[in-house]
Amino acid sequence: DQVLHIVPETFQQVQHLQLLHSTLLLDLWKPLLPEDIMPGEDLHIRVPAPLVQEVKDSLDQHRISYRVLIPDVQELVDQSMPREMSSHKQVREGYVYAQYHPMDEIYQWMTQIQNNYSELVTQHFLGMTFENRPMYYLQISQPSNKPKKIIWMDCGIHAREWISPAFCQWFVKEILQNYKSDPKIRRFLQNLDLYVLPVLNIDGYIYSWKTDRLWRKNRSPYENGTCYGVDLNRNFNSSWGSIGVSFNCSSNVFCGSEPESEPETRAVAQFIRRKKSDIVCFLTIHSYGQLILTPYGSTTKPPSNNEELMQVGKKAAAALTGKYGTSYKVGPSSLILYNNSGSSRDWAHMIGIPLSYTFELRDNGTYGFLLPVDQIQPTCEETM
Amino acid sequence: IPDFGHKYYLQFSTEDYRTGENAGSCLATVLYPRKKSPPVVSIKCSHTKDQNEIQEEDNRLYQRIRQQSKPITGSNIPDSYGNIEPALEPAWALAVAGSSSIMWEKSTEDVGYFLAQVKSVKQWMRKDDVIEFDYTVLLHEMPTQEMISCHMRLTWLPGHPLKVKHFCASENRRLEEGSGLGSGSAAGLSEERGANL
C-alpha cells in the first residue's frame, strides 16, 4: 500500500479525486472527509497495493501531480511494532535489520547471534581499536572434520558508509535464517567457512553517530593531538604511500605514518596473513558508487588472474542487477574509480588471495553516504 | 590533442534526481586545455518532457514554496538516516539545482563532486515574487574524499534562470568541532550564470 501526497489545483481536480475516493473506497488520511478536499490544500490518501497503478494512471490522465509519501505502509507498520509482534522480516530476537544500528547494539547483536546459532557461529577476537574497543568477527562454519577454505568479508572500514555494516549484519542473518531451508546455503557451508567482520573501524563508526555523520577515518591522534584519523583503506602495505594519498593528517586520505601504523589495520592484516593460504576470497564492503572493484588501485597493470577476477565480478553484477535493476560497474579501481595505494583489497591480492573485491554499494550520489533507511532492505537483498 | 590538452566526447542519459526516471539524453564535447582554465564545453540535450510540462512543474514547485506562510528553515537534509521531511523537499530540490552550479564551476579534469548534504537552509522572505534561500551545503569531493563546506545564496523566479552566489571554505577542517567554514581564506563571492531549473 502507498500513501500519496497530492495538492489539487482546481475544483475539477478536486471533483475527480472525490470520485476516485468514493468509487475505489480509498482511505483518506488528510483531510478526513472528502468534502474537505480543497484546491491548494495538502491531500494524503492511502491506496491499497492492487489499486496503486490504476490510481496513478488515473491521476496522470487528469494531469494531477502526486508524490509518493509512503512507498510501503506495511514496512512502516512493522518497524513501529513492539518486538514480540514483529513480522517475518525480523529475527526471533527482534532485531530490525532494515535500520541503522549504533555500535553498542551491534555488539549485543553479535552476542545474540552466537547464542541463537551456536551450532554454526562463533565470535572471535581480532584486536583492539585505538580507543581500546574490541574488534570481533563472526565465524560461520558447519562442523566437519575436513579443512575448509575461507571467504572473508569486512564492513565499515570507512565510518560514514553506514549501509556497509548494515549489509554485513543482513548477510549474516540471511545465511543463518535460511541455512536449514536453503540447500544452496547448506552446500555452500559444506565446503566454505565465512568470516564476517561487521565493523572494522569501530571508533570512527561511533564518532559518526555521536559527532560527525560524515567522518571517514579512524580516530588516532597525530600532530600532538591537533589532528585525528588515518584512512584505514590507505594504510595497508600495498604500494603504501605511492599514489592517491596524503601524508598530511588533515586529509581524508591520510595514509598514516607507515604501512599498518594503525591498530585496526594491524589487527586485520595479522589475522589475514596467518590464514592466507586458506582464504580464497576477500571482500571489503563500502559505499557509495555501485561498483565492484578489482585490483589494483595503485597501478593500471592488470593482476595475473585478471580474467578470472572480471568474470566472477561480472557474474556478481549481473545477479545483482537481476534483483531490482540496480546497475553496477565492474573493473579495476585504477580504471573505473581512481588511483589509490594502501587499500586492503590490493594488499589481500598481493599476498596471494586470488579473488579480492571492493564492493561500493548504493547509491550513485543522490543520497550518497546518507542512504535512506528504506533502501537498506533492497540494497542488501540485491547484494546477497 | 598534442601540446594542447584533452578533448572528451560524451554521450550520456539523464534521470530525475529523486525518482530516477529517465529525463533525456545529451551529446557533449569537453575540451580541457593543458593550461589551467575552465574547459570549453559544447552540449546538446533532448528532454523527455516538453517545455510546457517543465514549466508546469516549475510553477507547481514555486506555488508549493510560496504557499508556506512561514519562512522555510531546516538543517541536515537528508538527516543521518537518509530522511528528508516532505515539507523540506522543495528547499532540497532547489539546493540540488543550485549546488550543481557550484560543482560545475569547481570541478576540473581530475576533481569532481557530489552533493553530500544540505547542512542548513533558511528562506529569506521578500516583498517581490522572487524566492530566496540561504544554504550551507556539503560537497563530497573526489578523489580527495574531502567534504567541502559552501555557503550558497540562491534566488529564483519560474521562467527565469536560477541565480546562485557561493563561497566555499578552501581549507580542510583541522579542529574537531563540526563547524563548517574553516579559517576562511578568500575564495570570494562569485556571481554565477543562471541555470534553468
Side-chain angles (χ1 to χ4, degrees):
Chain A
D1 294 5
Q2 294 195 341
V3 176
L4 304 182
H5 169 102
I6 301 167
V7 183
E9 284 156 1
T10 66
F11 275 113
Q12 270 162 334
Q13 290 188 352
V14 168
Q15 275 176 329
H16 181 71
L17 290 162
Q18 288 167 334
L19 187 66
L20 274 180
H21 167 263
S22 62
T23 46
L24 297 177
L25 301 177
L26 303 178
D27 177 15
L28 272 178
W29 281 19
K30 175 177 166 177
L32 292 174
L33 298 171
E35 46 266 37
D36 292 334
I37 301 178
M38 294 289 167
E41 298 283 324
D42 281 356
L43 171 70
H44 295 174
I45 190 161
R46 182 181 63 87
V47 182
L51 296 174
V52 165
Q53 199 48 58
E54 183 182 336
V55 168
K56 286 181 177 173
D57 288 343
S58 175
L59 293 175
D60 286 341
Q61 253 177 2
H62 285 79
R63 308 287 240 150
I64 300 175
S65 68
Y66 62 88
R67 202 164 39 84
V68 179
L69 197 59
I70 301 176
D72 185 343
V73 176
Q74 187 61 53
E75 192 185 301
L76 271 189
V77 169
D78 293 341
Q79 277 171 12
S80 57
M81 286 299 233
R83 302 236 155 125
E84 307 81 68
M85 287 161 42
S86 337
S87 77
H88 61 277
K89 260 188 258 174
Q90 296 169 15
V91 190
R92 264 170 290 149
E93 61 268 17
Y95 199 75
V96 184
Y97 289 89
Q99 260 179 40
Y100 295 118
H101 291 272
M103 196 61 212
D104 52 291
E105 285 177 19
I106 299 180
Y107 275 126
Q108 273 167 26
W109 168 80
M110 279 195 272
T111 309
Q112 272 286 346
I113 286 284
Q114 186 181 232
N115 286 341
N116 290 358
Y117 296 96
S118 47
E119 349 64 81
L120 289 173
V121 181
T122 42
Q123 180 178 318
H124 299 267
F125 178 78
L126 201 60
M128 298 295 271
T129 66
F130 178 81
E131 288 176 344
N132 259 321
R133 297 190 176 89
M135 296 167 68
Y136 296 113
Y137 69 91
L138 294 173
Q139 177 179 348
I140 303 176
S141 181
Q142 197 186 67
S144 123
N145 36 27
K146 71 172 178 192
K148 283 190 264 134
K149 291 298 183 183
I150 298 169
I151 296 185
W152 165 273
M153 182 164 76
D154 64 76
C155 294
I157 192 174
H158 288 140
R160 58 195 181 196
E161 299 167 10
W162 285 15
I163 186 63
S164 166
F167 175 69
C168 267
Q169 293 164 68
W170 185 283
F171 180 84
V172 167
K173 175 256 300 182
E174 276 297 304
I175 298 286
L176 296 175
Q177 272 187 344
N178 298 313
Y179 169 74
K180 296 218 169 94
S181 53
D182 190 337
K184 265 199 304 214
I185 297 182
R186 271 205 310 277
R187 204 160 24 116
F188 203 74
L189 287 179
Q190 250 162 31
N191 303 308
L192 290 163
D193 284 351
L194 296 170
Y195 287 26
V196 180
L197 172 58
V199 185
L200 198 160
N201 179 8
I202 297 174
D203 298 344
Y205 186 69
I206 292 176
Y207 192 76
S208 73
W209 272 77
K210 294 207 170 120
T211 312
D212 182 355
R213 174 62 174 83
L214 295 170
W215 188 258
R216 171 182 166 87
K217 308 182 287 179
N218 76 347
R219 293 293 301 164
S220 41
Y222 279 79
E223 290 169 27
N224 259 321
T226 58
C227 174
Y228 284 80
V230 171
D231 183 344
L232 296 173
N233 204 33
R234 302 282 186 280
N235 188 237
F236 283 79
N237 196 9
S238 42
S239 309
W240 179 88
S242 59
I243 188 171
V245 296
S246 167
F247 293 101
N248 198 326
C249 168
S250 54
S251 163
N252 253 344
V253 292
F254 173 45
C255 54
S257 51
E258 59 177 18
E260 295 182 26
S261 59
E262 302 310 297
E264 296 89 353
T265 315
R266 275 200 303 277
V268 173
Q270 277 160 10
F271 177 77
I272 303 282
R273 256 192 298 266
R274 259 204 340 258
K275 302 279 208 174
K276 73 174 179 194
S277 47
D278 290 322
I279 304 179
V280 295
C281 183
F282 180 90
L283 300 171
T284 176
I285 312 295
H286 294 236
S287 79
Y288 53 93
Q290 292 173 203
L291 307 165
I292 296 178
L293 300 170
T294 59
Y296 297 109
S298 47
T299 168
T300 48
K301 185 175 126 207
S304 48
N305 63 334
N306 193 45
E307 256 179 54
E308 180 186 22
L309 281 164
M310 287 300 291
Q311 205 187 36
V312 174
K314 290 208 170 124
K315 273 200 174 155
L320 201 155
T321 307
K323 184 81 179 171
Y324 294 115
T326 312
S327 72
Y328 268 63
K329 290 204 271 279
V330 184
S333 188
S334 52
L335 288 180
I336 67 173
L337 187 57
Y338 48 59
N339 284 331
N340 67 302
S341 57
S343 70
S344 61
R345 169 208 62 235
D346 283 2
W347 175 79
H349 192 270
M350 285 175 182
I351 62 164
I353 296 171
L355 296 172
S356 184
Y357 296 93
T358 305
F359 273 69
E360 295 278 355
L361 300 179
R362 288 197 194 178
D363 58 14
N364 256 328
T366 305
Y367 289 93
F369 300 120
L370 308 177
L371 194 68
V373 163
D374 63 16
Q375 286 201 42
I376 297 179
Q377 182 173 335
T379 305
C380 293
E381 283 182 347
E382 69 194 7
T383 314
M384 286 303 297
Chain B
I1 303 179
D3 293 333
F4 188 75
H6 295 145
K7 188 167 186 184
Y8 296 82
Y9 295 87
L10 297 168
Q11 183 176 17
F12 56 94
S13 59
T14 61
E15 59 179 38
D16 182 296
Y17 199 77
R18 243 188 338 117
T19 67
E21 272 171 50
N22 179 260
S25 59
C26 303
L27 274 178
T29 62
V30 183
L31 173 59
Y32 288 100
R34 195 105 64 66
K35 286 163 268 163
K36 295 279 157 94
S37 59
V40 180
V41 177
S42 84
I43 182 167
K44 198 153 177 131
C45 294
S46 71
H47 305 278
T48 49
K49 298 198 166 111
D50 63 37
Q51 258 308 107
N52 281 334
E53 250 184 284
I54 295 176
Q55 224 172 16
E56 258 177 69
E57 286 184 8
D58 279 3
N59 282 328
R60 267 198 288 268
L61 177 64
Y62 180 73
Q63 288 306 330
R64 236 178 112 181
I65 297 173
R66 290 280 285 181
Q67 266 160 23
Q68 312 264 15
S69 45
K70 287 188 299 191
I72 297 174
T73 59
S75 58
N76 291 334
I77 311 164
D79 66 15
S80 290
Y81 307 94
N83 292 326
I84 300 179
E85 255 175 82
L88 291 172
E89 266 206 43
W92 179 67
L94 287 174
V96 170
S99 36
S100 73
S101 98
I102 304 180
M103 297 191 273
W104 171 271
E105 197 183 84
K106 282 175 77 68
S107 44
T108 69
E109 200 172 352
D110 314 301
V111 177
Y113 296 88
F114 292 97
L115 174 61
Q117 190 180 47
V118 173
K119 226 28 202 160
S120 72
V121 57
K122 183 170 167 183
Q123 182 179 9
W124 290 104
M125 302 304 262
R126 292 166 63 122
K127 294 204 178 73
D128 59 15
D129 296 329
V130 174
I131 288 181
E132 182 164 352
F133 283 100
D134 221 29
Y135 291 96
T136 305
V137 294
L138 287 177
L139 301 183
H140 177 207
E141 184 180 76
M142 296 279 261
T144 62
Q145 293 288 352
E146 299 300 334
M147 287 292 163
I148 311 293
S149 181
C150 297
H151 191 154
M152 173 168 76
R153 172 139 319 185
L154 177 160
T155 53
W156 181 52
L157 193 58
H160 295 74
L162 204 59
K163 287 210 185 66
V164 176
K165 288 191 190 168
H166 75 263
F167 174 94
C168 295
S170 53
E171 284 181 0
N172 299 326
R173 270 180 282 128
R174 289 179 160 273
L175 307 176
E176 289 325 303
E177 356 70 60
S179 63
L181 283 177
S183 46
S185 35
L189 278 170
S190 55
E191 173 101 36
E192 297 298 323
R193 239 188 30 247
N196 266 322
L197 190 67

